[in-house]
Amino acid sequence: MVASGVEMLREYNFDGLVGPTHNYAGLSPGNLASANHAGEQANPRAAALQGLAKLRFVAALGVPQAVLPPQPRPDVGALRRLGFSGDDAAVLTRAAEGDGQLLRLASSASAMWTANAATVAPSADTLDGRTHLLPANLVTMFHRSLEPPTTTRVLRAIFDDASRFEVHEPLPATEHFADEGAANHTRLATGAGAAHLFAWGRRAWGEAPRPARFPARQTLEASRAAARALRLPSELALTWQQTPAGIDGGAFHTDVLAVGTEGFLMLHERAFVEHERLLAELGARLGDEFRFVVASEAELSVADAVAAYPFNSQLVRLPTGRLAIVAPRESEACPAARRFLERVVSEANPVDAVHYIDVNASMKNGGGPACLRLRVALGDDDAHALGARVLFDDALGGELEAWVGRRYRDRLTADDLRDPALLDETRGALDELTQILRLGSVYEFQRAAQ
Ligand code: SUG
């Protein structure tokens, strides 16, 4: 829990619902799982139900849960901006010509990885006592750069009480301010204080070692701007570089090699440069309560960590005040990853248990349990003030499962993306979803129709 001036805050996990066009297109260089599964047939219905099962599991642990909706895909508007014209069916046909890459890029369900939707600062830490959300511009990957306008509208529809929340404009969408959201941000807090760790992979201006093979998605300049935009006092923000070796090993976001909450951080030694100095700096801010566990390369290689995602676990607070790890099944199957997580539980850490869950459909695109959720600390009054029905309970879970069952296909390949019926089905499904979630007209296709 986070102590705020007025009330206790609890961390809500806002899970991204898997979208109706969930598929494996190999769109993310540097994300090894995405490349390895490119071209496989997908089952969007099973993937979405798998995501909802995770939500139910985490909610049953006593962790507050909420949902964020998918985005309309194929993104016909983006294809029109790329010069394709005619009616929607013609745009799809033309974009599918040649190698079809532009259509695949416009069709990803990638908004499901809500750890990249925004960076969030809780009201307990901000200068004006409000919760601040900064949607990420996601400029490094073209398919992800299509998300921010809709993400911003959705977050503004949900966090619409300006006395409590501010949803900012994303940072300028240039490579200088390349921002990937909460996947590169960790808030830690103990009785001694709070620290916001903003990780970055390259500098827009100035020298810093860079990865040689794969893109560094976040700039130092974006991290600094994010800390300012979120209205964090400068003494709470700490920027630190991801190791180029980690990025070149497939850790395209910090949350592939580190996860932390409250007074606890678990990390790989290749997550951050000079990790011992970082831990000393955090220790100085957070005091004796701060606990961390470091995996060495000898104990758990970056290759295993990237394949099995033990650090992409969720660290959730149980009603007892202790933490639990929600890890992907792949970590259970990888001996080094499983042993590491068991060590975390067996040593003197505030962690009681590790639970393994199946999110394989997301894992095959490089998204583990932690990628699928955006953490937002809210007080009870904040939660009541949300402008849509996004808080998860049994009733909403049942409605969403039925909606997926009715509206989603159970097989999808790249060839299907040009099918105008898929576009119509997706719009129909999302239109219904906005009614279930009482979100209003947040999508471009709904606004155009008004
Ligand atoms: O941005 N995968 C996502 C995975 C994001 C994971 N998020 C965090 N680590 N927080 C990405 O690379 C692959 C889509 C495809 O290849 O079809 C993709 O976009």
Side-chain angles (χ1 to χ4, degrees):
M1 243 176 265
V2 180
S4 132
V6 268
E7 58 174 340
M8 296 307 278
L9 307 182
R10 291 196 298 162
E11 194 170 275
Y12 286 66
N13 285 286
F14 281 72
D15 275 42
L17 298 175
V18 176
T21 62
H22 169 68
N23 74 101
Y24 305 111
L27 302 179
S28 289
N31 170 344
L32 302 181
S34 154
N36 290 342
H37 297 282
E40 287 183 20
Q41 179 177 304
N43 181 340
R45 187 190 300 161
L49 293 174
Q50 203 169 61
L52 285 165
K54 163 169 116 67
L55 242 140
R56 277 197 187 277
F57 181 84
V58 174
L61 292 176
V63 178
Q65 274 285 168
V67 296
L68 290 173
Q71 300 201 358
R73 296 290 183 271
D75 186 337
V76 180
L79 293 172
R80 289 186 189 283
R81 292 202 299 283
L82 293 176
F84 298 108
S85 57
D87 60 16
D88 288 347
V91 168
L92 296 177
T93 305
R94 287 173 185 154
E97 279 165 12
D99 66 3
Q101 178 70 352
L102 294 179
L103 181 57
R104 286 194 296 279
L105 286 162
S107 302
S108 177
S110 54
M112 65 200 260
W113 297 296
T114 52
N116 306 115
T119 313
V120 185
S123 57
D125 295 345
T126 60
L127 290 166
D128 64 3
R130 294 185 303 156
T131 305
H132 287 262
L133 299 99
L134 175 69
N137 60 30
L138 296 171
V139 288
T140 305
M141 296 291 151
F142 174 73
H143 67 292
R144 304 222 58 184
S145 74
L146 305 178
E147 298 169 35
T150 303
T151 301
T152 305
R153 276 201 302 276
V154 167
L155 292 177
R156 286 187 173 153
I158 296 171
F159 298 97
D160 65 339
D161 181 341
S163 71
R164 299 173 177 277
F165 311 114
E166 182 165 351
V167 178
H168 295 261
E169 281 298 306
L171 299 179
T174 75
E175 62 159 339
H176 306 91
F177 294 101
D179 178 22
E180 296 276 321
N184 289 324
H185 168 249
T186 309
R187 177 188 187 270
L188 298 166
T190 62
H196 287 256
L197 174 58
F198 290 87
W200 54 274
R202 67 184 166 88
R203 294 184 64 161
W205 296 283
E207 293 301 307
R210 279 187 179 225
R213 289 174 75 199
F214 292 141
R217 296 199 196 182
Q218 179 100 20
T219 64
L220 169 62
E221 291 77 2
S223 294
R224 286 184 176 151
R228 281 191 297 271
L230 293 169
R231 303 290 180 264
L232 288 169
S234 54
E235 64 275 14
L236 291 193
L238 181 62
T239 49
W240 213 272
Q241 189 179 358
Q242 302 163 266
T243 71
I247 295 173
D248 276 339
F252 53 97
H253 290 135
T254 310
D255 66 6
V256 176
L257 291 181
V259 60
T261 191
E262 303 186 359
F264 180 66
L265 179 66
M266 58 186 211
L267 66 160
H268 193 277
E269 65 174 338
R270 302 223 171 127
F272 302 101
V273 302
E274 297 181 74
H275 71 276
E276 281 167 356
R277 195 163 67 79
L278 168 64
L279 292 168
E281 177 67 42
L282 290 171
R285 294 167 183 232
L286 299 166
D288 293 343
E289 262 179 77
F290 176 51
R291 289 272 170 286
F292 57 82
V293 185
V294 182
S296 66
E297 180 67 16
E299 177 183 15
L300 169 61
S301 65
V302 167
D304 274 352
V306 166
Y309 267 35
F311 297 100
N312 203 263
S313 297
Q314 289 177 250
L315 272 176
V316 295
R317 179 182 233 266
L318 303 170
T320 56
R322 305 263 303 167
L323 302 175
I325 297 173
V326 179
R329 279 265 151 83
E330 287 76 0
S331 290
E332 188 177 27
C334 167
R338 193 184 64 240
R339 277 196 302 271
F340 171 73
L341 293 174
E342 285 168 0
R343 176 164 84 82
V344 171
V345 175
S346 69
E347 291 178 352
N349 298 307
V351 183
D352 272 351
V354 48
H355 302 284
Y356 295 101
I357 53 155
D358 186 3
V359 286
N360 180 256
S362 169
M363 286 287 286
K364 283 163 68 173
N365 266 334
C371 302
L372 287 160
R373 59 92 178 94
L374 179 68
R375 294 177 285 185
V376 186
L378 300 173
D380 288 347
D381 291 347
D382 293 331
H384 287 131
L386 297 182
R389 181 194 175 207
V390 290
L391 297 184
F392 189 80
D393 55 20
D394 261 353
L396 181 57
E399 282 177 58
L400 293 174
E401 283 152 2
W403 168 76
V404 168
R406 268 196 320 275
R407 295 284 196 169
Y408 279 49
R409 294 189 181 189
D410 62 4
R411 44 170 299 171
L412 198 70
T413 63
D415 268 352
D416 297 320
L417 301 174
R418 76 182 76 183
D419 177 3
L422 179 69
L423 180 66
D424 287 346
E425 284 163 32
T426 300
R427 287 179 175 168
L430 295 192
D431 195 44
E432 184 185 348
L433 180 66
T434 56
Q435 291 162 39
I436 296 173
L437 301 180
R438 295 182 208 129
L439 256 179
S441 298
V442 287
Y443 298 128
E444 216 44 90
F445 73 87
Q446 294 173 311
R447 297 146 69 91
Q450 275 176 354

